[in-house]
Amino acid sequence: QVQLVESGGGLVQPGGSLRLSCVGSGIYFSGVAVAWHRQGPGKQREFVARLGSYGQTYYSDSVKDRFTISRDDAKNTVYLQMDNLRPEDTAIYYCNTGANWLVWGQGTQVTVSS
């Protein structure tokens, strides 16, 4: 069964940090691009970050210089390190992969609030 499972979300104060993880089951990240997206309350899902198969990275302007995407192919896991979090980062965060861009996980909730 093909599955992506995100974890690591939670409640954090503005300026805080979180690290999200995404583990693939039946779908493999090695050699393909991986990405994170998010959907805030009342908003459409939007792109956050992408890590290409050759290690190139892309970030949305809203998270650039605060978020870092990385991967551990041995663990078939993708990470999103989020620093200096802001209330507007509140959203459900999802990962997906170029192995099959149509596969989505259930997401992990990130809430930034004092």
Side-chain angles (χ1 to χ4, degrees), residues 21-109:
S21 300
C22 171
V23 179
S25 175
I27 189 167
Y28 300 97
F29 300 146
S30 179
V32 298
V34 292
W36 285 93
H37 304 257
R38 68 186 181 186
Q39 187 166 12
K43 298 180 181 180
Q44 292 188 337
R45 192 172 297 185
E46 64 176 0
F47 167 78
V48 173
R50 175 178 171 136
L51 176 59
S53 56
Y54 296 104
Q56 65 274 40
T57 56
Y58 308 91
Y59 297 94
S60 68
D61 288 342
S62 62
V63 308
K64 194 174 182 180
D65 299 326
R66 300 187 298 121
F67 290 11
T68 304
I69 186 172
S70 63
R71 66 199 295 164
D72 184 335
D73 288 344
K75 295 182 179 180
N76 205 38
T77 301
V78 179
Y79 302 100
L80 185 68
Q81 176 67 40
M82 307 187 296
D83 298 318
N84 192 20
L85 282 160
R86 303 168 180 170
E88 54 263 39
D89 295 318
T90 295
I92 300 173
Y93 285 71
Y94 304 88
C95 70
N96 66 347
T97 169
N100 187 339
W101 290 116
L102 298 179
V103 176
W104 294 90
Q106 84 292 343
T108 185
Q109 175 72 50

